[in-house]
PDB file of all heavy atoms in Angstrom:
ATOM      1  N   PRO K   1     271.493  89.036 108.245  1.00 69.00           N
ATOM      2  CA  PRO K   1     271.792  90.380 108.750  1.00 69.00           C
ATOM      3  C   PRO K   1     270.734  90.859 109.743  1.00 69.00           C
ATOM      4  O   PRO K   1     269.538  90.614 109.552  1.00 69.00           O
ATOM      5  CB  PRO K   1     271.794  91.252 107.493  1.00 69.00           C
ATOM      6  CG  PRO K   1     271.005  90.494 106.495  1.00 69.00           C
ATOM      7  CD  PRO K   1     271.168  89.045 106.829  1.00 69.00           C
ATOM      8  N   HIS K   2     271.202  91.472 110.823  1.00 72.00           N
ATOM      9  CA  HIS K   2     270.315  92.060 111.813  1.00 72.00           C
ATOM     10  C   HIS K   2     271.082  93.108 112.603  1.00 72.00           C
ATOM     11  O   HIS K   2     272.303  93.098 112.652  1.00 72.00           O
ATOM     12  CB  HIS K   2     269.704  91.011 112.740  1.00 72.00           C
ATOM     13  CG  HIS K   2     270.712  90.136 113.416  1.00 72.00           C
ATOM     14  ND1 HIS K   2     271.333  89.098 112.764  1.00 72.00           N
ATOM     15  CD2 HIS K   2     271.204  90.133 114.672  1.00 72.00           C
ATOM     16  CE1 HIS K   2     272.168  88.490 113.606  1.00 72.00           C
ATOM     17  NE2 HIS K   2     272.111  89.098 114.763  1.00 72.00           N
ATOM     18  N   ASP K   3     270.346  94.014 113.195  1.00 76.00           N
ATOM     19  CA  ASP K   3     270.947  95.082 113.990  1.00 76.00           C
ATOM     20  C   ASP K   3     269.869  95.621 114.917  1.00 76.00           C
ATOM     21  O   ASP K   3     268.688  95.335 114.743  1.00 76.00           O
ATOM     22  CB  ASP K   3     271.492  96.190 113.083  1.00 76.00           C
ATOM     23  CG  ASP K   3     272.489  97.100 113.807  1.00 76.00           C
ATOM     24  OD1 ASP K   3     273.029  96.688 114.852  1.00 76.00           O
ATOM     25  OD2 ASP K   3     272.723  98.208 113.325  1.00 76.00           O
ATOM     26  N   GLY K   4     270.271  96.379 115.887  1.00 79.00           N
ATOM     27  CA  GLY K   4     269.319  96.976 116.806  1.00 79.00           C
ATOM     28  C   GLY K   4     269.897  98.239 117.393  1.00 79.00           C
ATOM     29  O   GLY K   4     271.101  98.473 117.356  1.00 79.00           O
ATOM     30  N   ASP K   5     269.007  99.049 117.948  1.00 80.00           N
ATOM     31  CA  ASP K   5     269.426 100.305 118.545  1.00 80.00           C
ATOM     32  C   ASP K   5     268.428 100.680 119.625  1.00 80.00           C
ATOM     33  O   ASP K   5     267.315 100.148 119.663  1.00 80.00           O
ATOM     34  CB  ASP K   5     269.502 101.403 117.471  1.00 80.00           C
ATOM     35  CG  ASP K   5     270.336 102.586 117.925  1.00 80.00           C
ATOM     36  OD1 ASP K   5     271.050 102.479 118.946  1.00 80.00           O
ATOM     37  OD2 ASP K   5     270.277 103.626 117.256  1.00 80.00           O
ATOM     38  N   GLY K   6     268.813 101.572 120.479  1.00 83.00           N
ATOM     39  CA  GLY K   6     267.921 102.020 121.532  1.00 83.00           C
ATOM     40  C   GLY K   6     268.228 101.352 122.853  1.00 83.00           C
ATOM     41  O   GLY K   6     269.071 100.456 122.945  1.00 83.00           O
ATOM     42  N   GLU K   7     267.538 101.807 123.877  1.00 91.00           N
ATOM     43  CA  GLU K   7     267.721 101.275 125.226  1.00 91.00           C
ATOM     44  C   GLU K   7     266.729 100.141 125.440  1.00 91.00           C
ATOM     45  O   GLU K   7     265.533 100.364 125.539  1.00 91.00           O
ATOM     46  CB  GLU K   7     267.517 102.396 126.237  1.00 91.00           C
ATOM     47  CG  GLU K   7     268.536 103.516 126.078  1.00 91.00           C
ATOM     48  CD  GLU K   7     268.254 104.726 126.947  1.00 91.00           C
ATOM     49  OE1 GLU K   7     267.319 104.687 127.777  1.00 91.00           O
ATOM     50  OE2 GLU K   7     268.976 105.713 126.801  1.00 91.00           O
ATOM     51  N   LEU K   8     267.233  98.910 125.488  1.00 94.00           N
ATOM     52  CA  LEU K   8     266.402  97.725 125.617  1.00 94.00           C
ATOM     53  C   LEU K   8     266.334  97.284 127.076  1.00 94.00           C
ATOM     54  O   LEU K   8     267.017  97.831 127.936  1.00 94.00           O
ATOM     55  CB  LEU K   8     266.954  96.612 124.733  1.00 94.00           C
ATOM     56  CG  LEU K   8     267.109  96.985 123.256  1.00 94.00           C
ATOM     57  CD1 LEU K   8     267.758  95.863 122.477  1.00 94.00           C
ATOM     58  CD2 LEU K   8     265.762  97.361 122.658  1.00 94.00           C
ATOM     59  N   HIS K   9     265.513  96.276 127.348  1.00 96.00           N
ATOM     60  CA  HIS K   9     265.308  95.791 128.713  1.00 96.00           C
ATOM     61  C   HIS K   9     265.444  94.278 128.771  1.00 96.00           C
ATOM     62  O   HIS K   9     264.897  93.560 127.936  1.00 96.00           O
ATOM     63  CB  HIS K   9     263.912  96.197 129.201  1.00 96.00           C
ATOM     64  CG  HIS K   9     263.500  95.514 130.470  1.00 96.00           C
ATOM     65  ND1 HIS K   9     264.107  95.770 131.679  1.00 96.00           N
ATOM     66  CD2 HIS K   9     262.540  94.592 130.715  1.00 96.00           C
ATOM     67  CE1 HIS K   9     263.536  95.021 132.615  1.00 96.00           C
ATOM     68  NE2 HIS K   9     262.585  94.295 132.048  1.00 96.00           N
ATOM     69  N   LEU K  10     266.188  93.803 129.772  1.00 97.00           N
ATOM     70  CA  LEU K  10     266.290  92.381 130.078  1.00 97.00           C
ATOM     71  C   LEU K  10     266.134  92.210 131.586  1.00 97.00           C
ATOM     72  O   LEU K  10     266.631  93.030 132.361  1.00 97.00           O
ATOM     73  CB  LEU K  10     267.647  91.804 129.674  1.00 97.00           C
ATOM     74  CG  LEU K  10     267.987  91.701 128.201  1.00 97.00           C
ATOM     75  CD1 LEU K  10     269.403  91.176 128.020  1.00 97.00           C
ATOM     76  CD2 LEU K  10     267.006  90.795 127.486  1.00 97.00           C
ATOM     77  N   ALA K  11     265.472  91.134 131.997  1.00 97.00           N
ATOM     78  CA  ALA K  11     265.339  90.815 133.421  1.00 97.00           C
ATOM     79  C   ALA K  11     265.982  89.460 133.681  1.00 97.00           C
ATOM     80  O   ALA K  11     265.836  88.525 132.891  1.00 97.00           O
ATOM     81  CB  ALA K  11     263.866  90.785 133.822  1.00 97.00           C
ATOM     82  N   PHE K  12     266.685  89.365 134.805  1.00 97.00           N
ATOM     83  CA  PHE K  12     267.356  88.135 135.198  1.00 97.00           C
ATOM     84  C   PHE K  12     266.770  87.651 136.523  1.00 97.00           C
ATOM     85  O   PHE K  12     266.583  88.442 137.455  1.00 97.00           O
ATOM     86  CB  PHE K  12     268.865  88.367 135.348  1.00 97.00           C
ATOM     87  CG  PHE K  12     269.515  88.824 134.076  1.00 97.00           C
ATOM     88  CD1 PHE K  12     269.725  90.170 133.835  1.00 97.00           C
ATOM     89  CD2 PHE K  12     269.886  87.908 133.106  1.00 97.00           C
ATOM     90  CE1 PHE K  12     270.316  90.607 132.657  1.00 97.00           C
ATOM     91  CE2 PHE K  12     270.477  88.331 131.918  1.00 97.00           C
ATOM     92  CZ  PHE K  12     270.690  89.672 131.700  1.00 97.00           C
ATOM     93  N   ALA K  13     266.468  86.357 136.597  1.00 96.00           N
ATOM     94  CA  ALA K  13     265.872  85.765 137.794  1.00 96.00           C
ATOM     95  C   ALA K  13     266.918  85.639 138.898  1.00 96.00           C
ATOM     96  O   ALA K  13     268.080  85.310 138.633  1.00 96.00           O
ATOM     97  CB  ALA K  13     265.308  84.386 137.452  1.00 96.00           C
ATOM     98  N   THR K  14     266.472  85.899 140.131  1.00 97.00           N
ATOM     99  CA  THR K  14     267.334  85.719 141.290  1.00 97.00           C
ATOM    100  C   THR K  14     266.473  85.287 142.475  1.00 97.00           C
ATOM    101  O   THR K  14     265.311  85.699 142.566  1.00 97.00           O
ATOM    102  CB  THR K  14     268.130  87.009 141.620  1.00 97.00           C
ATOM    103  OG1 THR K  14     269.156  86.708 142.565  1.00 97.00           O
ATOM    104  CG2 THR K  14     267.241  88.099 142.186  1.00 97.00           C
ATOM    105  N   PRO K  15     267.000  84.463 143.380  1.00 97.00           N
ATOM    106  CA  PRO K  15     266.219  84.087 144.563  1.00 97.00           C
ATOM    107  C   PRO K  15     265.963  85.313 145.452  1.00 97.00           C
ATOM    108  O   PRO K  15     266.777  86.236 145.496  1.00 97.00           O
ATOM    109  CB  PRO K  15     267.114  83.080 145.290  1.00 97.00           C
ATOM    110  CG  PRO K  15     268.131  82.640 144.294  1.00 97.00           C
ATOM    111  CD  PRO K  15     268.293  83.772 143.330  1.00 97.00           C
ATOM    112  N   ALA K  16     264.850  85.309 146.167  1.00 97.00           N
ATOM    113  CA  ALA K  16     264.512  86.422 147.056  1.00 97.00           C
ATOM    114  C   ALA K  16     265.607  86.665 148.091  1.00 97.00           C
ATOM    115  O   ALA K  16     265.876  87.812 148.459  1.00 97.00           O
ATOM    116  CB  ALA K  16     263.168  86.151 147.744  1.00 97.00           C
ATOM    117  N   THR K  17     266.281  85.615 148.508  1.00 97.00           N
ATOM    118  CA  THR K  17     267.338  85.743 149.518  1.00 97.00           C
ATOM    119  C   THR K  17     268.564  86.489 148.992  1.00 97.00           C
ATOM    120  O   THR K  17     269.424  86.881 149.779  1.00 97.00           O
ATOM    121  CB  THR K  17     267.774  84.349 150.019  1.00 97.00           C
ATOM    122  OG1 THR K  17     268.153  83.547 148.879  1.00 97.00           O
ATOM    123  CG2 THR K  17     266.644  83.661 150.774  1.00 97.00           C
ATOM    124  N   GLU K  18     268.652  86.688 147.681  1.00 97.00           N
ATOM    125  CA  GLU K  18     269.804  87.372 147.085  1.00 97.00           C
ATOM    126  C   GLU K  18     269.597  88.871 146.862  1.00 97.00           C
ATOM    127  O   GLU K  18     270.531  89.568 146.468  1.00 97.00           O
ATOM    128  CB  GLU K  18     270.153  86.725 145.740  1.00 97.00           C
ATOM    129  CG  GLU K  18     270.828  85.380 145.863  1.00 97.00           C
ATOM    130  CD  GLU K  18     272.204  85.492 146.514  1.00 97.00           C
ATOM    131  OE1 GLU K  18     273.032  86.304 146.053  1.00 97.00           O
ATOM    132  OE2 GLU K  18     272.429  84.781 147.507  1.00 97.00           O
ATOM    133  N   MET K  19     268.398  89.384 147.092  1.00 97.00           N
ATOM    134  CA  MET K  19     268.129  90.785 146.751  1.00 97.00           C
ATOM    135  C   MET K  19     269.039  91.755 147.517  1.00 97.00           C
ATOM    136  O   MET K  19     269.582  92.683 146.926  1.00 97.00           O
ATOM    137  CB  MET K  19     266.658  91.118 146.985  1.00 97.00           C
ATOM    138  CG  MET K  19     266.239  92.411 146.346  1.00 97.00           C
ATOM    139  SD  MET K  19     266.595  92.563 144.563  1.00 97.00           S
ATOM    140  CE  MET K  19     265.316  91.585 143.848  1.00 97.00           C
ATOM    141  N   ALA K  20     269.227  91.556 148.809  1.00 97.00           N
ATOM    142  CA  ALA K  20     270.121  92.437 149.585  1.00 97.00           C
ATOM    143  C   ALA K  20     271.552  92.331 149.065  1.00 97.00           C
ATOM    144  O   ALA K  20     272.267  93.340 149.000  1.00 97.00           O
ATOM    145  CB  ALA K  20     270.059  92.096 151.072  1.00 97.00           C
ATOM    146  N   ASN K  21     271.968  91.131 148.674  1.00 97.00           N
ATOM    147  CA  ASN K  21     273.312  90.956 148.109  1.00 97.00           C
ATOM    148  C   ASN K  21     273.446  91.716 146.796  1.00 97.00           C
ATOM    149  O   ASN K  21     274.500  92.289 146.507  1.00 97.00           O
ATOM    150  CB  ASN K  21     273.618  89.472 147.889  1.00 97.00           C
ATOM    151  CG  ASN K  21     273.758  88.713 149.186  1.00 97.00           C
ATOM    152  OD1 ASN K  21     274.075  89.281 150.223  1.00 97.00           O
ATOM    153  ND2 ASN K  21     273.492  87.426 149.146  1.00 97.00           N
ATOM    154  N   TRP K  22     272.380  91.715 145.976  1.00 98.00           N
ATOM    155  CA  TRP K  22     272.410  92.457 144.717  1.00 98.00           C
ATOM    156  C   TRP K  22     272.544  93.953 144.975  1.00 98.00           C
ATOM    157  O   TRP K  22     273.324  94.636 144.305  1.00 98.00           O
ATOM    158  CB  TRP K  22     271.170  92.164 143.863  1.00 98.00           C
ATOM    159  CG  TRP K  22     271.400  91.014 142.941  1.00 98.00           C
ATOM    160  CD1 TRP K  22     270.893  89.757 143.043  1.00 98.00           C
ATOM    161  CD2 TRP K  22     272.249  91.010 141.793  1.00 98.00           C
ATOM    162  NE1 TRP K  22     271.370  88.970 142.020  1.00 98.00           N
ATOM    163  CE2 TRP K  22     272.204  89.734 141.237  1.00 98.00           C
ATOM    164  CE3 TRP K  22     273.042  91.978 141.179  1.00 98.00           C
ATOM    165  CZ2 TRP K  22     272.910  89.377 140.092  1.00 98.00           C
ATOM    166  CZ3 TRP K  22     273.748  91.628 140.029  1.00 98.00           C
ATOM    167  CH2 TRP K  22     273.687  90.350 139.503  1.00 98.00           C
ATOM    168  N   GLU K  23     271.790  94.473 145.931  1.00 97.00           N
ATOM    169  CA  GLU K  23     271.882  95.906 146.244  1.00 97.00           C
ATOM    170  C   GLU K  23     273.299  96.277 146.680  1.00 97.00           C
ATOM    171  O   GLU K  23     273.861  97.273 146.211  1.00 97.00           O
ATOM    172  CB  GLU K  23     270.881  96.288 147.330  1.00 97.00           C
ATOM    173  CG  GLU K  23     269.459  96.330 146.838  1.00 97.00           C
ATOM    174  CD  GLU K  23     268.507  96.875 147.871  1.00 97.00           C
ATOM    175  OE1 GLU K  23     268.456  98.120 148.018  1.00 97.00           O
ATOM    176  OE2 GLU K  23     267.831  96.062 148.530  1.00 97.00           O
ATOM    177  N   ALA K  24     273.878  95.464 147.545  1.00 97.00           N
ATOM    178  CA  ALA K  24     275.245  95.723 148.019  1.00 97.00           C
ATOM    179  C   ALA K  24     276.258  95.600 146.878  1.00 97.00           C
ATOM    180  O   ALA K  24     277.179  96.412 146.756  1.00 97.00           O
ATOM    181  CB  ALA K  24     275.594  94.759 149.157  1.00 97.00           C
ATOM    182  N   TRP K  25     276.088  94.588 146.022  1.00 98.00           N
ATOM    183  CA  TRP K  25     277.007  94.349 144.902  1.00 98.00           C
ATOM    184  C   TRP K  25     276.988  95.509 143.914  1.00 98.00           C
ATOM    185  O   TRP K  25     278.029  95.974 143.456  1.00 98.00           O
ATOM    186  CB  TRP K  25     276.639  93.033 144.220  1.00 98.00           C
ATOM    187  CG  TRP K  25     277.491  92.671 143.047  1.00 98.00           C
ATOM    188  CD1 TRP K  25     277.090  92.551 141.752  1.00 98.00           C
ATOM    189  CD2 TRP K  25     278.888  92.367 143.047  1.00 98.00           C
ATOM    190  NE1 TRP K  25     278.149  92.199 140.952  1.00 98.00           N
ATOM    191  CE2 TRP K  25     279.269  92.073 141.724  1.00 98.00           C
ATOM    192  CE3 TRP K  25     279.857  92.305 144.049  1.00 98.00           C
ATOM    193  CZ2 TRP K  25     280.561  91.737 141.367  1.00 98.00           C
ATOM    194  CZ3 TRP K  25     281.160  91.967 143.694  1.00 98.00           C
ATOM    195  CH2 TRP K  25     281.495  91.685 142.367  1.00 98.00           C
ATOM    196  N   LEU K  26     275.783  95.988 143.595  1.00 98.00           N
ATOM    197  CA  LEU K  26     275.677  97.120 142.678  1.00 98.00           C
ATOM    198  C   LEU K  26     276.320  98.365 143.284  1.00 98.00           C
ATOM    199  O   LEU K  26     277.052  99.081 142.595  1.00 98.00           O
ATOM    200  CB  LEU K  26     274.216  97.373 142.316  1.00 98.00           C
ATOM    201  CG  LEU K  26     273.553  96.259 141.498  1.00 98.00           C
ATOM    202  CD1 LEU K  26     272.061  96.516 141.367  1.00 98.00           C
ATOM    203  CD2 LEU K  26     274.210  96.105 140.136  1.00 98.00           C
ATOM    204  N   ALA K  27     276.092  98.617 144.564  1.00 98.00           N
ATOM    205  CA  ALA K  27     276.710  99.771 145.235  1.00 98.00           C
ATOM    206  C   ALA K  27     278.228  99.641 145.233  1.00 98.00           C
ATOM    207  O   ALA K  27     278.935 100.612 144.943  1.00 98.00           O
ATOM    208  CB  ALA K  27     276.177  99.896 146.665  1.00 98.00           C
ATOM    209  N   GLN K  28     278.721  98.452 145.516  1.00 98.00           N
ATOM    210  CA  GLN K  28     280.171  98.207 145.530  1.00 98.00           C
ATOM    211  C   GLN K  28     280.779  98.474 144.157  1.00 98.00           C
ATOM    212  O   GLN K  28     281.916  98.934 144.055  1.00 98.00           O
ATOM    213  CB  GLN K  28     280.438  96.763 145.965  1.00 98.00           C
ATOM    214  CG  GLN K  28     281.891  96.372 146.023  1.00 98.00           C
ATOM    215  CD  GLN K  28     282.070  94.913 146.424  1.00 98.00           C
ATOM    216  OE1 GLN K  28     281.202  94.305 147.054  1.00 98.00           O
ATOM    217  NE2 GLN K  28     283.191  94.331 146.040  1.00 98.00           N
ATOM    218  N   ASN K  29     280.028  98.201 143.103  1.00 97.00           N
ATOM    219  CA  ASN K  29     280.507  98.405 141.738  1.00 97.00           C
ATOM    220  C   ASN K  29     280.097  99.759 141.164  1.00 97.00           C
ATOM    221  O   ASN K  29     280.226  99.986 139.964  1.00 97.00           O
ATOM    222  CB  ASN K  29     280.015  97.267 140.841  1.00 97.00           C
ATOM    223  CG  ASN K  29     280.825  96.010 141.052  1.00 97.00           C
ATOM    224  OD1 ASN K  29     281.895  95.859 140.485  1.00 97.00           O
ATOM    225  ND2 ASN K  29     280.338  95.117 141.898  1.00 97.00           N
ATOM    226  N   GLU K  30     279.614 100.642 142.042  1.00 97.00           N
ATOM    227  CA  GLU K  30     279.239 102.016 141.688  1.00 97.00           C
ATOM    228  C   GLU K  30     278.220 102.056 140.551  1.00 97.00           C
ATOM    229  O   GLU K  30     278.304 102.875 139.644  1.00 97.00           O
ATOM    230  CB  GLU K  30     280.473 102.845 141.372  1.00 97.00           C
ATOM    231  CG  GLU K  30     281.429 102.930 142.544  1.00 97.00           C
ATOM    232  CD  GLU K  30     282.688 103.724 142.248  1.00 97.00           C
ATOM    233  OE1 GLU K  30     282.938 104.080 141.088  1.00 97.00           O
ATOM    234  OE2 GLU K  30     283.422 103.988 143.213  1.00 97.00           O
ATOM    235  N   ILE K  31     277.234 101.149 140.638  1.00 98.00           N
ATOM    236  CA  ILE K  31     276.142 101.110 139.675  1.00 98.00           C
ATOM    237  C   ILE K  31     274.882 101.576 140.394  1.00 98.00           C
ATOM    238  O   ILE K  31     274.460 100.971 141.388  1.00 98.00           O
ATOM    239  CB  ILE K  31     275.958  99.694 139.100  1.00 98.00           C
ATOM    240  CG1 ILE K  31     277.219  99.276 138.333  1.00 98.00           C
ATOM    241  CG2 ILE K  31     274.724  99.628 138.206  1.00 98.00           C
ATOM    242  CD1 ILE K  31     277.227  97.850 137.881  1.00 98.00           C
ATOM    243  N   ALA K  32     274.304 102.656 139.895  1.00 98.00           N
ATOM    244  CA  ALA K  32     273.124 103.237 140.534  1.00 98.00           C
ATOM    245  C   ALA K  32     271.885 102.386 140.283  1.00 98.00           C
ATOM    246  O   ALA K  32     271.646 101.945 139.154  1.00 98.00           O
ATOM    247  CB  ALA K  32     272.891 104.651 140.015  1.00 98.00           C
ATOM    248  N   VAL K  33     271.105 102.178 141.318  1.00 98.00           N
ATOM    249  CA  VAL K  33     269.808 101.527 141.179  1.00 98.00           C
ATOM    250  C   VAL K  33     268.828 102.585 140.689  1.00 98.00           C
ATOM    251  O   VAL K  33     268.667 103.633 141.303  1.00 98.00           O
ATOM    252  CB  VAL K  33     269.343 100.916 142.522  1.00 98.00           C
ATOM    253  CG1 VAL K  33     267.908 100.421 142.427  1.00 98.00           C
ATOM    254  CG2 VAL K  33     270.275  99.785 142.942  1.00 98.00           C
ATOM    255  N   VAL K  34     268.203 102.322 139.546  1.00 98.00           N
ATOM    256  CA  VAL K  34     267.244 103.249 138.957  1.00 98.00           C
ATOM    257  C   VAL K  34     265.913 103.174 139.696  1.00 98.00           C
ATOM    258  O   VAL K  34     265.261 104.185 139.932  1.00 98.00           O
ATOM    259  CB  VAL K  34     267.040 102.929 137.456  1.00 98.00           C
ATOM    260  CG1 VAL K  34     265.941 103.774 136.848  1.00 98.00           C
ATOM    261  CG2 VAL K  34     268.339 103.083 136.692  1.00 98.00           C
ATOM    262  N   GLU K  35     265.519 101.954 140.061  1.00 98.00           N
ATOM    263  CA  GLU K  35     264.251 101.762 140.766  1.00 98.00           C
ATOM    264  C   GLU K  35     264.295 100.444 141.522  1.00 98.00           C
ATOM    265  O   GLU K  35     264.903  99.477 141.078  1.00 98.00           O
ATOM    266  CB  GLU K  35     263.088 101.743 139.769  1.00 98.00           C
ATOM    267  CG  GLU K  35     261.725 101.598 140.415  1.00 98.00           C
ATOM    268  CD  GLU K  35     260.578 101.551 139.425  1.00 98.00           C
ATOM    269  OE1 GLU K  35     260.819 101.611 138.204  1.00 98.00           O
ATOM    270  OE2 GLU K  35     259.429 101.444 139.879  1.00 98.00           O
ATOM    271  N   LYS K  36     263.638 100.437 142.673  1.00 98.00           N
ATOM    272  CA  LYS K  36     263.411  99.212 143.434  1.00 98.00           C
ATOM    273  C   LYS K  36     261.906  99.105 143.612  1.00 98.00           C
ATOM    274  O   LYS K  36     261.262 100.066 144.027  1.00 98.00           O
ATOM    275  CB  LYS K  36     264.111  99.269 144.785  1.00 98.00           C
ATOM    276  CG  LYS K  36     263.933  98.017 145.606  1.00 98.00           C
ATOM    277  CD  LYS K  36     264.650  98.105 146.934  1.00 98.00           C
ATOM    278  CE  LYS K  36     264.403  96.843 147.744  1.00 98.00           C
ATOM    279  NZ  LYS K  36     265.077  96.923 149.044  1.00 98.00           N
ATOM    280  N   ARG K  37     261.345  97.935 143.260  1.00 98.00           N
ATOM    281  CA  ARG K  37     259.893  97.804 143.295  1.00 98.00           C
ATOM    282  C   ARG K  37     259.493  96.469 143.911  1.00 98.00           C
ATOM    283  O   ARG K  37     260.115  95.444 143.666  1.00 98.00           O
ATOM    284  CB  ARG K  37     259.349  97.882 141.879  1.00 98.00           C
ATOM    285  CG  ARG K  37     257.843  97.653 141.808  1.00 98.00           C
ATOM    286  CD  ARG K  37     257.327  97.824 140.433  1.00 98.00           C
ATOM    287  NE  ARG K  37     257.270  99.270 140.169  1.00 98.00           N
ATOM    288  CZ  ARG K  37     256.738  99.782 139.078  1.00 98.00           C
ATOM    289  NH1 ARG K  37     256.271  98.992 138.146  1.00 98.00           N
ATOM    290  NH2 ARG K  37     256.696 101.075 138.904  1.00 98.00           N
ATOM    291  N   THR K  38     258.432  96.513 144.714  1.00 98.00           N
ATOM    292  CA  THR K  38     257.779  95.303 145.213  1.00 98.00           C
ATOM    293  C   THR K  38     256.462  95.173 144.465  1.00 98.00           C
ATOM    294  O   THR K  38     255.678  96.119 144.405  1.00 98.00           O
ATOM    295  CB  THR K  38     257.540  95.390 146.729  1.00 98.00           C
ATOM    296  OG1 THR K  38     258.801  95.555 147.392  1.00 98.00           O
ATOM    297  CG2 THR K  38     256.866  94.122 147.251  1.00 98.00           C
ATOM    298  N   TRP K  39     256.226  93.998 143.907  1.00 98.00           N
ATOM    299  CA  TRP K  39     255.060  93.747 143.066  1.00 98.00           C
ATOM    300  C   TRP K  39     253.901  93.183 143.880  1.00 98.00           C
ATOM    301  O   TRP K  39     254.092  92.703 145.003  1.00 98.00           O
ATOM    302  CB  TRP K  39     255.445  92.794 141.931  1.00 98.00           C
ATOM    303  CG  TRP K  39     256.500  93.381 141.048  1.00 98.00           C
ATOM    304  CD1 TRP K  39     257.857  93.179 141.132  1.00 98.00           C
ATOM    305  CD2 TRP K  39     256.313  94.297 139.976  1.00 98.00           C
ATOM    306  NE1 TRP K  39     258.502  93.899 140.179  1.00 98.00           N
ATOM    307  CE2 TRP K  39     257.578  94.607 139.447  1.00 98.00           C
ATOM    308  CE3 TRP K  39     255.183  94.878 139.407  1.00 98.00           C
ATOM    309  CZ2 TRP K  39     257.756  95.466 138.381  1.00 98.00           C
ATOM    310  CZ3 TRP K  39     255.349  95.740 138.339  1.00 98.00           C
ATOM    311  CH2 TRP K  39     256.624  96.022 137.832  1.00 98.00           C
ATOM    312  N   GLU K  40     252.705  93.210 143.296  1.00 97.00           N
ATOM    313  CA  GLU K  40     251.479  92.754 143.962  1.00 97.00           C
ATOM    314  C   GLU K  40     251.576  91.328 144.487  1.00 97.00           C
ATOM    315  O   GLU K  40     251.018  91.004 145.531  1.00 97.00           O
ATOM    316  CB  GLU K  40     250.287  92.848 143.008  1.00 97.00           C
ATOM    317  CG  GLU K  40     249.886  94.256 142.662  1.00 97.00           C
ATOM    318  CD  GLU K  40     248.769  94.297 141.626  1.00 97.00           C
ATOM    319  OE1 GLU K  40     248.122  93.265 141.386  1.00 97.00           O
ATOM    320  OE2 GLU K  40     248.557  95.388 141.055  1.00 97.00           O
TER     321      GLU K  40
END
């Protein structure tokens, strides 16, 4: 037996060349981007 609750986090790997496609895909599917970040 197991269960969970709350807002969890998962990250999925994608090639750098796909980032613009992801932004367009999310917009096309009416999914709001919460944050866009460039790391060190």
Side-chain angles (χ1 to χ4, degrees):
H2 54 282
D3 198 19
D5 198 13
E7 298 173 6
L8 304 176
H9 168 68
L10 292 177
F12 299 96
T14 192
T17 55
E18 286 294 308
M19 194 54 77
N21 292 335
W22 269 107
E23 286 187 79
W25 179 244
L26 294 172
Q28 180 182 337
N29 283 277
E30 300 179 351
I31 297 172
V33 172
V34 174
E35 182 181 1
K36 181 180 178 181
R37 176 176 284 187
T38 300
W39 298 96
E40 292 175 15

